[in-house]
Amino acid sequence: MKFASSSNVDVKKKIIIFFIISLFIFIIDASNKKYFQPVRALINDSIIYSSNAVKIPFVYISNSFEGFFKLFEKDKTLKRVNQLENKIIDLENKNLVLENRIRYLQDIIGEEKYVFPSQLAKTIIFKENIFNNIFIVNKGSLDGVKVGDPVIKNNVLVGKIIEVNFKSSQAILLTNINSRVPVRIGSMKYNAILNGHESEKNNLKLTFLPKEYSFVGGEIIYTTSIDGIMPEGLIIGEIKLDKNKKFYIQPFYEVNKLDLVSIINLKKN
Amino acid sequence: MSNSLKTNSARLLLLISIIFSSPKIFVYNADILTYINIQFILIFALRISSPQTNFNNLWFLFLASLINDVLTGLTLGTSGLIFLTIHAVASFQASIKLRNIFLSEWFAFGIAMIIAYLILGIIDLIIGFDLSYSKFLLNFLFTILAYPIFWYPITKLYA
């Protein structure tokens, strides 16, 4: 490439130098060398937390505006909170009964028991580009997070961890084209794989369904455990039928409500 | 606008576009930035409108590319290769132009995008990432089509 002025000749040299540096960094990172992983984790953490710090004042201002307008709904909100508190107590009691029944049934059939301690994490960055739709959470390897750990919101599976730094982790949503989750569907217990697929409704697709499958709508989709890579029985969504009786998957989570999530730590009991 | 103000504001614009590039405006089930690469347009338009904008001897561009890689979950160095390619094409175009002619700049931007997306495609093949080719193509087309929207204010401010 030819540059006309003498100052641009200098630019040309610098472009070549930085191009070589970028290529070198790319090769090291793409080759996934073990010695580079702590460096990469450190770079990731420092950039993620610095950019988050830059965002804080703007987020604060935006939240203040929202908070100001919500002041007018105070009484209504308090009433709703009271109702929800009562509902929580009711659900906690029901949950206790169900857990005891499950444990009793597991003992009868001799099913392997798993404990899945989870920890709350805050989504600090949500990004979407042509390669990825990812979100970054504020828990990392120092908090015990590992690659492959499922991410849930209100006990609904939303994605899994794909990269772990020291104090942050990167996760993909179920709708990501690279996401694959073994699932079981409805009372017929069809086994299938749930993929992210951009041309399907809600960006989710079921593959490897048995040939004889048929859906009536309303079948619940939940995870199935294969070698403990995913906990058994995490709810994902349900099957719905459109006007042409073609089924699609309706996930139970909402993308814009993933500011707080839980990361399940996969451990066998 | 003074030269120092031009260069500083250009750097700030690029950094803002990288850090704040998640406006959560959804179009057809995807974030609006799935369709447009604002950073590509900014690097090209800023460099071509104001040739003294060399992003701190390219150090700033390189650091911005690393930030972009981390925040978008790409392999380190990917954005560096793309950003520098776009900057190189813009530098070449800026060195041969005599005055601002929109169509020739847009054409050069198209060429820069073809090279940049070819590199992206090759990187995708190397990493073995599952890529949505329809989104890839849409992103390429909309980025080229969105150039005039950014070109006008940038030329007015920086030329």
Side-chain angles (χ1 to χ4, degrees):
Chain A
M1 197 174 279
K2 190 184 167 188
F3 294 97
S5 72
S6 59
S7 65
N8 277 338
V9 174
D10 193 37
V11 173
K12 185 185 171 184
K13 273 185 197 164
K14 277 172 185 153
I15 287 173
I16 294 168
I17 291 167
F18 279 108
F19 199 89
I20 292 166
I21 294 171
S22 298
L23 194 64
F24 179 69
I25 292 172
F26 174 78
I27 291 166
I28 294 175
D29 199 22
S31 58
N32 218 4
K33 297 275 184 222
K34 267 193 174 174
Y35 59 81
F36 190 67
Q37 279 169 3
V39 181
R40 164 95 208 215
L42 203 66
I43 293 170
N44 283 356
D45 273 346
S46 36
I47 290 176
I48 286 163
Y49 281 98
S50 309
S51 66
N52 201 41
V54 172
K55 272 183 176 179
I56 283 172
F58 299 95
V59 174
Y60 183 76
I61 293 167
S62 152
N63 288 347
S64 304
F65 272 110
E66 269 180 39
F68 176 75
F69 289 112
K70 275 180 184 167
L71 272 178
F72 300 104
E73 297 169 8
K74 199 179 158 189
D75 291 338
K76 216 170 147 185
T77 313
L78 275 173
K79 205 176 165 186
R80 178 96 181 114
V81 167
N82 281 334
Q83 283 174 346
L84 288 171
E85 272 175 352
N86 288 331
K87 209 172 176 182
I88 286 171
I89 295 167
D90 185 37
L91 286 170
E92 273 176 351
N93 291 335
K94 278 182 184 167
N95 191 36
L96 207 67
V97 174
L98 285 170
E99 272 181 6
N100 284 331
R101 280 182 67 184
I102 288 168
R103 242 174 262 138
Y104 173 69
L105 290 168
Q106 276 177 331
D107 284 341
I108 290 174
I109 59 169
E111 192 184 277
E112 221 172 350
K113 282 180 192 168
Y114 294 92
V115 280
F116 301 117
S118 66
Q119 54 181 323
L120 208 62
K122 193 174 179 240
T123 305
I124 44 181
I125 288 163
F126 191 96
K127 281 266 177 177
E128 192 164 15
N129 62 10
I130 46 170
F131 278 101
N132 272 336
N133 44 356
I134 60 156
F135 56 104
I136 297 169
V137 292
N138 68 344
K139 299 280 182 213
S141 58
L142 294 177
D143 305 292
V145 178
K146 290 186 293 298
V147 171
D149 282 353
V151 182
I152 57 169
K153 171 82 182 178
N154 299 336
N155 285 322
V156 173
L157 183 73
V158 296
K160 65 176 175 185
I161 300 290
I162 54 158
E163 194 180 325
V164 179
N165 307 316
F166 294 119
K167 282 302 281 179
S168 64
S169 305
Q170 211 179 83
I172 51 168
L173 287 172
L174 292 176
T175 49
N176 189 298
I177 198 167
N178 292 286
S179 164
R180 275 145 191 72
V181 177
V183 293
R184 196 164 282 163
I185 307 147
S187 55
M188 296 300 282
K189 293 181 179 166
Y190 296 131
N191 283 321
I193 301 288
L194 185 74
N195 292 352
H197 201 278
E198 35 85 40
S199 60
E200 293 287 319
K201 190 166 183 182
N202 294 326
N203 295 339
L204 288 168
K205 188 185 183 183
L206 285 171
T207 51
F208 300 109
L209 269 166
K211 278 179 188 170
E212 70 278 10
Y213 82 88
S214 73
F215 294 128
V216 288
E219 289 92 342
I220 300 293
I221 304 168
Y222 50 97
T223 58
T224 175
S225 174
I226 298 173
D227 295 331
I229 56 163
M230 194 55 77
E232 181 88 29
L234 279 177
I235 300 169
I236 293 171
E238 65 175 332
I239 299 284
K240 291 218 165 182
L241 299 179
D242 63 12
K243 284 174 191 170
N244 304 320
K245 299 283 173 197
K246 199 185 164 213
F247 81 89
Y248 65 92
I249 301 136
Q250 182 66 51
F252 285 147
Y253 67 83
E254 286 177 58
V255 177
N256 53 0
K257 286 182 182 167
L258 298 181
D259 45 347
L260 277 174
V261 291
S262 294
I263 302 169
I264 292 179
N265 201 352
L266 288 176
K267 268 181 196 165
K268 255 189 189 181
N269 200 7
Chain B
M1 206 190 279
S2 70
N3 279 349
S4 67
L5 190 63
K6 272 183 188 176
T7 49
N8 286 329
S9 59
R11 277 180 287 182
L12 195 67
L13 257 178
L14 184 65
L15 199 62
I16 286 171
S17 77
I18 289 169
I19 293 177
F20 290 83
S21 63
S22 199
K24 295 270 174 82
I25 301 167
F26 284 84
V27 181
Y28 189 65
N29 269 344
D31 197 305
I32 195 164
L33 292 174
T34 311
Y35 302 107
I36 304 166
N37 254 313
I38 291 177
Q39 292 90 3
F40 292 3
I41 300 173
L42 283 179
I43 292 165
F44 191 90
L46 287 168
R47 173 68 179 155
I48 212 159
S49 306
S50 159
Q52 68 269 29
T53 311
N54 62 1
F55 300 102
N56 253 34
N57 289 325
L58 295 180
W59 270 107
F60 186 83
L61 196 66
F62 177 68
L63 286 176
S65 74
L66 286 182
I67 295 171
N68 195 45
D69 284 335
V70 171
L71 296 184
T72 50
L74 296 171
T75 309
L76 286 183
T78 307
S79 300
L81 296 172
I82 309 294
F83 285 6
L84 288 162
T85 305
I86 296 165
H87 192 271
V89 178
S91 299
F92 174 70
Q93 179 69 15
S95 69
I96 58 165
K97 75 167 186 177
L98 296 172
R99 59 181 190 280
N100 283 335
I101 303 168
F102 170 69
L103 278 178
S104 66
E105 284 179 20
W106 199 8
F107 182 73
F109 180 70
I111 291 170
M113 287 303 101
I114 289 171
I115 303 169
Y117 280 82
L118 267 176
I119 295 173
L120 267 176
I122 293 165
I123 285 170
D124 174 56
L125 282 177
I126 295 169
I127 299 173
F129 221 73
D130 265 348
L131 182 69
S132 159
Y133 288 102
S134 57
K135 269 189 185 172
F136 189 77
L137 199 67
L138 277 177
N139 189 278
F140 168 72
L141 289 173
F142 281 120
T143 304
I144 293 177
L145 290 174
Y147 183 74
I149 302 165
F150 291 86
W151 178 85
Y152 184 75
I154 287 172
T155 313
K156 287 283 164 206
L157 284 168
Y158 288 88

